[in-house]
Structure formats: C-alpha cells, structure tokens
Amino acid sequence: MYKHLIGKQSEKVENQVERGAVAAFARSIGDPHPLYVDKEYGKYSKYQNNIAPPTFPRTFSYGTIPGLHLPVAGLIHGEQTFEYKRPLLIGEEIYCHSKVENYREKRAASGHLGFLTLINIGEDMRENNIFTSKVVLVLTEQAREGEDYYDSNHRA
Amino acid sequence: MTAITELNVNECISSVTLSPVSRLDLIKYAGASGDFNPIHTIDEEAEKAGLPGIIAHGMWTMGNISKLFTPYMEQGFIQSFSTRFTGMVFLDDVLTLTAELADKKEEKLIFTVKAVKQDETTAAKGTVIFNLY
C-alpha cells in the first residue's frame, strides 16, 4: 500500500538543538546528566558545550513526504537505528529530511503485515551528514483498514 | 564505575533497573519527545487500538538504554545505536537495562544492549557501537 512511495522524500526542515528541549528530553528518559543539562559543565567538557542524548533526534521535524499518511491505530514501532558522525551540540541548527526507503508486505500468523522503512537524515548548514536514523514501522491489518490517518510529518 | 576502556569481551557496564513504569513517565516522554500518540497515555485509546492497556513508547525504552553510556560520553560517543522492539512494555513493568561488550575492534567497542522485563522477557534488544576518542 506504500510501495509507490519508495524513494519519495520531504523538503529539508531547519531544527535547533534547543537547550530547554534537551534538558526536558534528558529528564524524560531519567538521564539529567550535567553533560546534557549543566551549561558550566558543558563549557569545560571535551565538547566545550553541552550535547544532546543520542535518541534526541526523535524530537525533530523532518518535513512532510508527499502522499504518505500513517494510520493512527495498529502502527507498531518495530526497529530503530541511529548512526552518528558526532554528538549533537546545543544551539546548533540541524537540517532534517526524511525519505521512504522501503515497503514490503508479509503474511504472518496475526494476518497481513506491512513493513515501512523510513530514513531520517540530519545535516549541518554545510550539508555534512551528522546523523542518519532508520525507522521500521509495522502496519497491522487494523492499520491497513483504519480510516484515521496522521499526516506524514511524523517524528522519529 | 568501571573504565569503559578496561572492559573485556563478555563483561557488562553497570546495569540499571528502572522504577515501575508509571503513567507520568510516559506523559513526560510524550511532552518532551512530541510523540502524542494516545496509545501511550490514554487507556481508552489503547483499548480501541486492541491493546490491554497503555504501552510505553519504544523510544522511551531506547532513550533509557542510552543512559548506560552517558557517564562515558567524554571518552567516546555512540556512533551507532540500533534496537528491535520485541515486546510491549505496560504500566508497572520493571525494566532492567544491560550492556555487554560483545567485541572490540581498535577504537570501536561493540555492545549488545537489552531491556528485560521482570518476567525475563525481552522488551528491546540491540547493538551500540561506542567509538573511543
């Protein structure tokens, strides 16, 4: 049902690695380490700044992939990967976009399942890749038959 | 705290057992992450989606796993972090997070990471490649 979208991508969206957002995120995963949340500590750290936890790109916007609508119900987050060139630094601008990498269907005991693979990319202002994340979403029968959809400005 | 550079293959960095998962944990994560899918916070919505109750965000579990490495983040960084979400995490589940050194290749430390529930089932399993500076 998403096969025709393979290769489709969103326009780049500017995101900031915002200090308050990083602190709230670090606390929400029970990890308020001073390297993430204490400005003075960051200044004298290896990075001469604070950094963001590795799963922080979950909070970024990746733009809208034309034609991609994700169902509200029956969507399972199956797999997640992050590949980094370096950690994200507080205050920097990251330009993010997303593309449909793959879609395939499989018959399982629980019915027909769809596997949608999305790639999310974060670059600096010079278009150097900083991170790439891969998301595999599993769509159950319920998802495939559902009537309510999110727009594709998904986050992951 | 064991120095991460002194670990031998099959040894673990300090594991963490989390407090039982609470609704407030998931509400906080929803707010901080921007993932407001109601199956993570509202019982009726979870039931409508065919679940016995609300479930933790997979990314909440993954975020928690990453904190095993936070104390070492000035000695290196997480170059690669991949996880498969193999079991659902419900309210009051107790997760134990572990990272075992599986292999060493020069500056790369390859860990097998896991989040295991109180009933010994695995909620998430994956790999971290920690790149030493």
Side-chain angles (χ1 to χ4, degrees):
Chain A
M1 87 198 257
Y2 291 107
K3 221 165 178 91
H4 64 288
L5 294 175
I6 293 172
K8 290 267 189 299
Q9 51 186 329
S10 62
E11 300 279 337
K12 284 181 197 173
V13 178
E14 182 182 325
N15 287 268
Q16 202 198 51
V17 184
E18 200 267 318
R19 180 174 297 283
V22 168
F25 187 82
R27 281 189 208 103
S28 79
I29 53 171
D31 195 15
H33 191 280
L35 189 56
Y36 299 141
V37 303
D38 182 329
K39 196 171 176 179
E40 281 297 297
Y41 186 100
K43 203 190 288 180
Y44 296 105
S45 76
K46 175 174 180 62
Y47 304 98
Q48 300 179 317
N49 195 345
N50 297 97
I51 63 170
T55 61
F56 186 73
R58 181 70 184 83
T59 69
F60 292 153
S61 291
Y62 293 88
T64 302
I65 297 173
L68 178 62
H69 304 286
L70 297 172
V72 172
L75 197 66
I76 298 164
H77 193 173
E79 292 177 41
Q80 176 77 40
T81 301
F82 294 95
E83 304 282 347
Y84 275 97
K85 295 288 191 290
R86 60 162 174 81
L88 292 168
L89 302 169
I90 302 291
E92 71 176 326
E93 308 287 350
I94 298 289
Y95 298 83
C96 299
H97 73 284
S98 182
K99 67 179 175 197
V100 179
E101 163 104 336
N102 199 8
Y103 180 73
R104 64 198 163 85
E105 292 184 353
K106 265 195 205 165
R107 195 170 287 282
S110 54
H112 226 80
L113 297 177
F115 294 82
L116 179 66
T117 306
L118 301 171
I119 300 282
N120 295 320
I121 294 164
E123 297 172 340
D124 69 10
M125 59 189 296
R126 294 190 183 83
E127 301 195 333
N128 297 308
N129 180 281
I130 306 300
F131 72 84
T132 301
S133 81
K134 186 172 92 172
V135 186
V136 179
L137 298 171
V138 184
L139 293 95
T140 62
E141 294 265 357
Q142 185 186 15
R144 292 150 46 84
E145 287 159 11
E147 286 168 7
D148 297 332
Y149 286 87
Y150 291 119
D151 71 27
S152 77
N153 191 1
H154 64 281
R155 293 153 167 275
Chain B
M1 186 177 102
T2 324
I4 199 163
T5 49
E6 286 167 18
L7 279 182
N8 296 309
V9 170
N10 297 330
E11 287 182 339
C12 294
I13 54 179
S14 306
S15 65
V16 168
T17 298
L18 302 177
S19 307
V21 176
S22 73
R23 189 182 304 268
L24 195 55
D25 288 337
L26 305 183
I27 291 172
K28 279 186 193 164
Y29 187 78
S33 70
D35 182 348
F36 292 105
N37 186 333
I39 63 165
H40 302 301
T41 48
I42 300 171
D43 298 320
E44 295 76 18
E45 294 295 329
E47 283 157 22
K48 251 198 260 173
L51 299 166
I54 61 170
I55 58 168
H57 307 73
M59 291 301 294
W60 177 81
T61 302
M62 192 172 185
N64 272 278
I65 291 173
S66 75
K67 70 188 176 189
L68 297 175
F69 294 90
T70 307
Y72 309 106
M73 289 296 276
E74 290 189 72
Q75 288 166 262
F77 73 106
I78 292 183
Q79 186 185 70
S80 169
F81 183 11
S82 58
T83 299
R84 288 187 70 183
F85 303 108
T86 52
M88 288 189 271
V89 175
F90 297 100
L91 287 184
D92 297 320
D93 275 350
V94 175
L95 294 183
T96 297
L97 314 171
T98 61
E100 181 182 321
L101 187 63
D103 201 1
K104 267 181 173 177
K105 281 177 186 157
E106 292 167 16
E107 77 284 5
K108 292 190 201 311
L109 304 178
I110 300 153
F111 290 89
T112 300
V113 293
K114 269 185 202 171
V116 179
K117 304 213 295 187
Q118 66 282 355
D119 62 3
E120 307 282 313
T121 58
T122 303
K125 185 178 176 185
T127 303
V128 165
I129 301 177
F130 191 84
N131 197 92
L132 294 166
Y133 290 125

